[in-house]
């Protein structure tokens, strides 16, 4: 008798095998998200939007309404759907390129407006699908296709601190956290809280997830896990991030 691994009920079971590389963290994030959707009982209300980049490979994971968007535009597409039908639970899924580079203006403005959607951003410190170029989140000294001698932060900047930025510009009622695929129970908890925040109509919710890309990091299994468990948290603090309560709806935004 074969034993099937437990899959979230909100996942599709009829699709072809997924296309993520062995050791990729995306599958772990999507499993935690699927479990969160199951436990909250929102499969019929959820709308899942995914960006270009490796995150687009998530387009056929969920048995929920799904839309795949232009690069960097997942946040405004989900914002539009949510505004048209506030009963939906809008989930925007993207990588660090889609959220912090080409789509950064949308992330900033959705956070500033406190849009009642949930953004999940997978941070694996480089552009995975296009071959591993430097991203806004690349670590100082990290070698990528475009920083073959290691990223020099004096010339190219320090890693973007996305959740801290979002927490600083959004409004009271928002929920912001940074999780990691190295702690799936905690990650599922953060994702549930983000979705519950949207269900309660409180405001914007944002979860960055530290994740793995062994293909472009060129790491074996042990090195991959050491990178995500030990190296990334030196620059990216895992945990929930307090949203300053000074600004309230209706006040001037800065
Ligand atoms: Fe995952 Fe990296 Fe492969 Fe993309 S290139 S599927 S992020 S391991």
């Amino acid at each position: 008798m074969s034993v099937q691994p437990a899959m979230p009920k909100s996942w599709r079971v009829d699709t072809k095998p997924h296309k993520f590389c062995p050791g990729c963290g995306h599958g772990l994030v999507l499993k935690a998200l699927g479990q969160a959707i199951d436990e909250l009982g929102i499969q019929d209300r959820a709308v899942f939007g995914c960006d270009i980049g490796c995150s687009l490979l998530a387009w056929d994971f969920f048995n929920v309404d799904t839309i795949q968007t232009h690069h960097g535009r997942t946040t405004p597409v989900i914002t539009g759907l949510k505004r048209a039908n506030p009963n939906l639970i809008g989930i925007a899924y993207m990588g660090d390129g889609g959220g912090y580079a080409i789509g950064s203006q949308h992330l900033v403005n959705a956070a500033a407006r406190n849009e009642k959607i949930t953004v999940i951003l997978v941070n694996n410190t480089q552009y995975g699908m296009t071959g591993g170029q430097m991203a806004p989140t690349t670590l100082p000294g990290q070698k990528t296709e475009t920083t073959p001698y290691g990223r020099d932060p004096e010339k190219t900047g320090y890693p973007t601190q996305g959740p801290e930025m979002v927490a600083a510009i959004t409004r009271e009622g928002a929920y912001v956290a940074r999780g990691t695929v190295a702690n799936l129970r905690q990650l599922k908890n953060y994702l549930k809280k983000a979705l519950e925040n949207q269900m309660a109509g409180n405001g914007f919710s944002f979860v960055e997830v530290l994740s793995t890309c062994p293909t472009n990091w060129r790491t074996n299994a042990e090195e991959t896990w050491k990178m995500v468990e030990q190296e990334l948290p030196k620059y990216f603090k895992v945990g929930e991030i307090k949203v300053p309560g000074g600004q309230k709806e209706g006040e001037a935004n800065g």
Side-chain angles (χ1 to χ4, degrees):
M1 187 177 77
S2 66
V3 178
Q4 298 291 329
M7 291 198 300
K9 290 196 189 72
S10 52
W11 273 15
R12 288 177 65 178
V13 293
D14 58 335
T15 47
K16 55 198 174 296
H18 69 77
K19 295 191 175 67
F20 293 119
C21 307
C24 178
H26 272 284
L28 295 170
V29 183
L30 296 171
K31 183 168 187 179
L33 176 59
Q35 290 171 336
I37 290 172
D38 287 354
E39 290 177 20
L40 293 170
I42 55 171
Q43 186 174 350
D44 291 345
R45 294 170 60 197
V47 176
F48 180 76
C50 55
D51 207 76
I52 296 290
C54 290
S55 57
L56 78 82
L57 299 175
W59 74 271
D60 61 353
F61 257 70
F62 291 99
N63 189 15
V64 305
D65 288 335
T66 298
I67 184 165
Q68 201 268 307
T69 75
H70 286 275
H71 200 7
R73 314 305 170 210
T74 313
T75 302
V77 167
I78 292 297
T79 297
L81 286 165
K82 178 75 180 185
R83 285 189 171 213
N85 184 351
N87 190 46
L88 297 175
I89 303 297
I91 303 167
Y93 186 76
M94 64 198 67
D96 32 19
Y100 296 153
I102 194 169
S104 57
Q105 78 277 33
H106 298 304
L107 177 64
V108 164
N109 287 299
R113 293 194 307 265
N114 211 6
E115 297 287 351
K116 295 176 177 60
I117 63 169
T118 299
V119 175
I120 302 168
L121 187 148
V122 177
N123 171 6
N124 57 23
T125 74
Q126 41 73 53
Y127 297 151
M129 180 160 274
T130 48
Q133 295 86 359
M134 190 191 88
T137 49
T138 298
L139 307 183
Q142 183 178 351
K143 290 182 181 172
T144 69
E145 286 297 304
T146 48
T147 56
Y149 302 109
R151 182 179 189 178
D152 179 352
E154 295 301 326
K155 292 180 180 156
T156 61
Y158 285 84
T160 294
Q161 301 291 320
E164 289 80 358
M165 173 186 72
V166 167
I169 61 174
T170 194
R171 291 165 180 265
E172 189 175 340
Y175 176 81
V176 182
R178 180 186 283 116
T180 168
V181 296
N183 189 339
L184 284 183
R185 192 168 297 182
Q186 179 195 60
L187 175 60
K188 186 187 77 175
N189 187 32
Y190 290 168
L191 293 173
K192 272 183 83 173
K193 284 174 134 178
L195 293 168
E196 283 172 331
N197 198 58
Q198 180 180 171
M199 291 163 73
N202 291 340
F204 193 62
S205 50
F206 179 72
V207 180
E208 180 189 288
V209 187
L210 303 182
S211 186
T212 57
C213 180
T215 299
N216 290 310
W217 289 354
R218 301 181 186 184
T219 47
N220 63 27
E222 184 180 356
E223 293 163 345
T224 300
W225 208 245
K226 186 175 172 211
M227 178 87 165
V228 74
E229 204 171 34
Q230 298 177 25
E231 295 304 314
L232 268 63
K234 290 179 184 171
Y235 296 92
F236 305 114
K237 190 172 175 213
V238 173
E240 294 175 304
I241 296 167
K242 188 173 176 342
V243 174
Q247 279 186 321
K248 293 189 174 66
E249 296 288 351
E251 288 183 350
N253 185 31

